[in-house]
Amino acid sequence: MVRSRTDPVFLDLSAELNDELDWKAGTLRTFDHHLDITAWAYEPLSHLLAIGTSNGIIDLFGGPGVEHRLHVTDRAHIRSLYFASSCFKLLAIDLQNRLHVWDLTTPSAPRLQNIMHFRRTINCLTVSSSHTHAFIALANGEVQTYDLLCSRQSPYTVPNLWAIYEGKVFAGGLQRPNSGRIPIDLVIHPRDLNLLFIAYAGGVILLDLTQQKTIKAYEYFLPPGAPGGFGYHDHSLLTERKPELTALAVHPSGHLLATGYVDGSIAFWAVVDEDKPLLVTTLDGREDINVANAEAMDAALSGHPGGIHDQPEPIFKLAWSGFNNSSDPRGGDTVLSVLGGLGQKEVPAVTTLLLPPFNPPEPPVQAVPGTTLDPTFRHAMRQTVIPKDMHSYSTVGVPQDFLLLPREQPHFSGSWDPVAMLLLSDGDKDTRAIEAYQFPPPLFVPKAEPQKNESAAEANPEGLGGDVADEITSVLESMQVDEDPQSLNVPPALWGGPSSVVGGTLVSLDRDAYQRFVANASTRPLDSINLRAGRAWVEDDDGQMKLMKFQPYRILITHHTDLTVRFRDLNAQLLVSSEAEPFLADFPTLLPELTIDLLSILAAPSIASRVSAELLQEGHIASTYLATQSLECAVVLETGEIAVFRQGEEFPKKTVKDQELIPASHIPVTVGRKFYPSFLFITQRGPATACALSDIGFLAAGFQDGSLFIVDMRGPAIILRRLPEDRESKRRSFLHKNEVDPVMNLTWTVSGTDLDPSPRILLLVVRQSGSTDIYVILRSSDGIWSVNDQTEHAEGPSSPLPEGSFVIDSKSGRSCKADGNGLIATMNPTAELTKGRYLWVTAGTRGARCVVDITGEKLGRVEWPNKGSKVERVSIVHKNASVVLVAHTDKREALVYSLPFLEHLHGLQLTQSSSEPLSIDDTGDYIEWCRHPCGSIKAEKYGTLFNVRRSGPYKVPGVDFTYGRTTAPTQPQPVGIGPPSMLNTFWEYISSTGLTGDQVDTLLAGPDRPLPKPQPPQRPGMPDKSGSDGASASSGLSAQNIANSATSGVNNLYSRLNNALAERGEMLGGLEDSFNNLESGSKNMLAQAKNLAAKQTAKRWFQFS
């Protein structure tokens, strides 16, 4: 029987939410996780990172809250990104061979400066940090130049120099294999701006820009019998071969270059010697593979007759890094980073080679200076390129690219003194994953000399011999040093691969719990990549910032592929900012100290022996539960294992009696982490179908086979174990004894029932059939917790919805949770106990019901409307001292019902971007999960049901990327091959007219370069007055721009005339007719047009028609 609404005992708990104007669904922010990254770039002066995607998105990442999104035309695939540090511009090349240029110095947001389309495919591009021109190599072999300051193509063009070189070689009668004329890479000489290395598939050309001539041509051949990269099993071993060049890098001194080839080999050259490489090697350690060796060939073929050589992949990319590790101007140890070159059977990785310093001695006195490299220098330079050590950065998939992040130096092609390396590798279903690591590897960093211990006797109490003691000390020190690079945190937008998000939940905390939860949290973890560019803020145009302090505190919890659980702070007060007081933290803020690494716990020896090897390799997290007051966390795996963590300190190992419980409090965690493992709960009963964590130390879990467990986490100890084979279970399910009735909902509450209204600790267990058991938790006089043998029963809806069971107070609507306040109530019950204090609200796939005191009368009931959609989630929402039930359908409809009578109040249509069920908190905010076909989450859409005077602070913030940006150091100067003490400078690497950056710009742009006039500085954050409100300012700027353009040359004049003609329709026709008449009367149309342009005003031009 359903009670009448007119019953005076029960109040309408939804009175303050009856007005439809209080409800407005809307998306506040979208948190993307880019799984389709195709390009990236890093600007070291500002520490700004840019990434491009396959759908035309470019995201910029900087300091706290500094994130900005750009789009290319038609959302075309981004092929490559570049930063021009000299003028702080971002360059992007898309799949349609368009060059996009953004000016990053403009206030509030970058400004698209120009889009230039090239008729031929753009193969590569390079920029210098010392001048404002970009070199662009096209597929036909030409190298064109683009003026970044004037936003135009410069007249300086380099023809296909390799075609010219081959023409001269073939003209001399020399017969050689055909080689590619396609440009592969461009590298500006690190110490001479007048020199440009152009890598073609056939070889490398060193170009003198001033004289426009080839200085050197580096061409690599394999004579007959030489093994090359493919080894002695190459079918063309006995013929002359010419591997195609695939990569190029230049030593920081400018005296050496490394070239990679399609056969996986790397050739090192002296810049001064184009005839023969110093060394040709492979990553598996084979050297001088460009030299025929009959004995080695016989040994290889006899040892593996007919064998198949593990052919290496091509060298795809090279980067040569120097460091501030030597007082010698020529530098110290260097590191060559190599993408590719590994065998097909090897683990995918990016390889780094530690190379000795470049410090050739003085040549012999009898040496005769000339253009040929002295043998002394040649031998010393060869020793420079023989690796001292090697380290491989393993990747989760096949590596596609790497990016070095310099400490602060933009010179040397962005490879000087890098502190981190980003790795981009392939994932499932056309996804990409980013990993970040410390650079260089610790193995490459010289270890500090150990200080002598004066108390040697104390260190060596056994009186061992000096050599033995030193050896033992050395072994112990080597065991303590971690030679693997440290993994670094990246922005959440770059989570992919192992760190991919696979699910999560949104929870709200009260003020006290929130402050304890985020206490001592850092806004940026120390082990993050160095991003600190600019500042960001949101203008409070609508005066909504002051309302943020009234928003509840929210935490976004996500679980990841690598078995980690991560927490992000969604506190709305993080958005409070202004131009004068920019963001101090990201939104949402990652809380790295709270990260839970479940894999490290499962891999501990005491745990690994109890779990399967498949779990360690293929385990996945199914769900995560956070106790909102005690802040304990339960992590549930898909296979049914449950790990419980608590904040605090490491505890000694405990002894437990139950075989399903494994203590884990003794397992150490990463230094600085706040969550410590407590225990693991392993039942071998299949996947968990329901789990509930109370705030007073109890855990309940139901499993696929219908079993139920209750754990007292203080022990830990199992205080209830209900198995399907129990006699009582068989008796109660006699009519369906062959069917499994799994637990679907578990609800901890402190409340009473119709039979006993006194507040008690209750666990409501709702099964698939709707049958509900009520377990009472008791505490003995000696502090032992147990479960009452007398179990009460209730009837809920069949096919209950996940987490669709709630107990609320009938007077206030407050949730009756099993928390600290509830525990006090059980110990001090009130003298007067009346029925009707509690309401049990439960929902299933067909409808919902509200029952008095859990086992009493039905107070309200509703059937879901049948409109082609189904309800998949319900939530109790608290707002304005009122409470309602909100049902969410798979069509993103939100159906609002009153409590306790379950009358339909409103219907809201939410924006749907995914078919995934929403994660909803008790304040009306929700997370919509957008899943990629690979299974990972590609975006989290943060929305609310109460988007009234709230969305303003969540809008796209203004950014000022110039804030905190440092100035570039001076262009590195040339250094000699020999030591600095040498007085004879004839041994320099090459004869060149050194140029400054301004001189290079003058050379490339020509004498008629139309330099733009400097603009007056504009305060960051000022709005762009390009609309109707700033018409007068726009008119003045337009007139000034037209006047300036009129003096910029004939080309600019006709460009502006063509633009004006294209916008004016019929007037264009008359103007075109007039020009046609002039053309018929004169053979010199261009001269007359210039004459008219000089004599007539713009007004008379348009009246001419």
Side-chain angles (χ1 to χ4, degrees), residues 174-191:
L174 184 60
Q175 298 296 323
R176 287 184 174 178
N178 293 329
S179 59
R181 300 177 180 181
I182 301 175
I184 302 298
D185 201 359
L186 298 169
V187 178
I188 300 172
H189 193 284
R191 296 182 180 272

Side-chain angles (χ1 to χ4, degrees), residues 73 352 387 399 445 450 457 471 575 686 706 773 795 804 813 818 833 845 872 915 1012 1037:
T73 308
T352 52
V445 179
E471 183 177 355
L575 296 168
D773 298 329
E795 191 64 29
L833 298 177
T845 56
E872 55 186 6
S915 60
L1037 289 175

Side-chain angles (χ1 to χ4, degrees), residues 188 374 422 449 461 465 654 706 719 743 766 771 852 854 902 994 996:
I188 300 172
D374 184 89
L422 301 185
E449 292 293 333
K654 296 183 178 181
I719 59 176
V743 176
V766 184
S771 174
V852 179
I854 303 177
L902 294 178
T996 65

Side-chain angles (χ1 to χ4, degrees), residues 562-866:
D562 58 358
L563 296 184
T564 59
V565 178
R566 307 185 189 189
F567 300 83
R568 281 178 281 170
D569 188 356
L570 274 177
N571 180 11
Q573 296 187 37
L574 295 172
L575 296 168
V576 177
S577 61
S578 65
E579 181 188 346
E581 297 180 356
F583 289 139
L584 299 177
D586 297 317
F587 182 82
T589 300
L590 179 64
L591 304 172
E593 293 85 358
L594 298 173
T595 298
I596 294 175
D597 185 1
L598 186 58
L599 184 60
S600 64
I601 307 302
L602 296 175
S606 59
I607 307 296
S609 60
R610 299 281 300 272
V611 299
S612 64
E614 291 77 11
L615 178 63
L616 295 174
Q617 298 176 359
E618 302 178 1
H620 296 283
I621 297 175
S623 55
T624 306
Y625 300 88
L626 179 68
T628 57
Q629 282 193 1
S630 64
L631 303 181
E632 293 167 317
C633 186
V635 182
V636 183
L637 294 174
E638 290 183 350
T639 48
E641 296 82 0
I642 301 175
V644 176
F645 295 80
R646 59 181 54 173
Q647 293 193 20
E649 299 179 354
E650 183 178 345
F651 299 96
K653 184 176 181 179
K654 296 183 178 181
T655 302
V656 297
K657 298 180 180 180
D658 302 294
Q659 63 178 0
E660 295 94 341
L661 300 177
I662 306 176
S665 57
H666 63 287
I667 300 176
V669 298
T670 304
V671 177
R673 296 281 171 85
K674 297 175 65 175
F675 272 112
Y676 287 82
S678 180
F679 64 90
L680 262 72
F681 181 36
I682 303 177
T683 64
Q684 304 294 338
R685 292 276 173 178
T689 54
C691 181
L693 192 64
S694 76
D695 282 297
I696 51 178
F698 297 105
L699 170 72
F703 295 88
Q704 193 175 46
D705 65 347
S707 57
L708 172 69
F709 293 82
I710 301 178
V711 180
D712 178 7
M713 297 190 294
R714 279 165 286 266
I718 297 176
I719 59 176
L720 177 73
R721 186 186 283 106
R722 283 283 184 267
L723 305 179
E725 55 267 24
D726 290 345
R727 180 179 302 178
E728 181 182 356
S729 297
K730 292 182 179 180
R731 179 181 60 81
R732 290 182 54 219
S733 58
F734 177 76
L735 295 178
H736 306 281
K737 61 182 180 180
N738 295 324
E739 298 180 5
V740 175
D741 195 12
V743 176
M744 300 305 296
N745 269 323
L746 293 169
T747 305
W748 287 104
T749 180
V750 171
S751 61
T753 62
D754 187 64
L755 296 178
D756 184 359
S758 61
R760 295 166 293 161
I761 302 175
L762 304 179
L763 175 65
L764 309 185
V765 181
V766 184
R767 296 184 177 271
Q768 179 70 31
S769 62
S771 174
T772 302
D773 298 329
I774 305 171
Y775 293 93
V776 182
I777 310 299
L778 303 176
R779 183 177 185 272
S780 65
S781 58
D782 56 354
I784 303 300
W785 294 93
S786 62
V787 179
N788 192 352
D789 295 334
Q790 301 299 322
T791 304
E792 297 186 47
H793 306 286
E795 191 64 29
S798 60
S799 301
L801 293 174
E803 301 180 15
S805 173
F806 316 90
V807 179
I808 62 175
D809 188 283
S810 63
K811 303 297 182 183
S812 63
R814 177 184 56 84
S815 296
C816 298
K817 299 180 179 180
D819 54 16
N821 294 330
L823 183 60
I824 294 174
T826 62
M827 297 179 179
N828 301 286
T830 58
E832 182 180 357
L833 298 177
T834 59
K835 292 187 177 182
R837 288 186 56 191
Y838 308 103
L839 301 174
W840 180 38
V841 182
T842 182
T845 56
R846 296 182 179 179
R849 64 183 65 179
C850 180
V851 180
V852 179
D853 291 331
I854 303 177
T855 57
E857 297 180 280
K858 294 179 184 178
L859 190 60
R861 182 174 181 176
V862 65
E863 297 292 333
W864 307 131
N866 185 13

Side-chain angles (χ1 to χ4, degrees), residues 897-920:
Y897 296 90
S898 69
L899 289 174
F901 305 108
L902 294 178
E903 295 179 338
H904 183 261
L905 298 179
H906 311 293
L908 302 175
Q909 182 61 54
L910 282 61
T911 302
Q912 183 170 11
S913 303
S914 168
S915 60
E916 293 284 321
L918 300 178
S919 177
I920 314 150

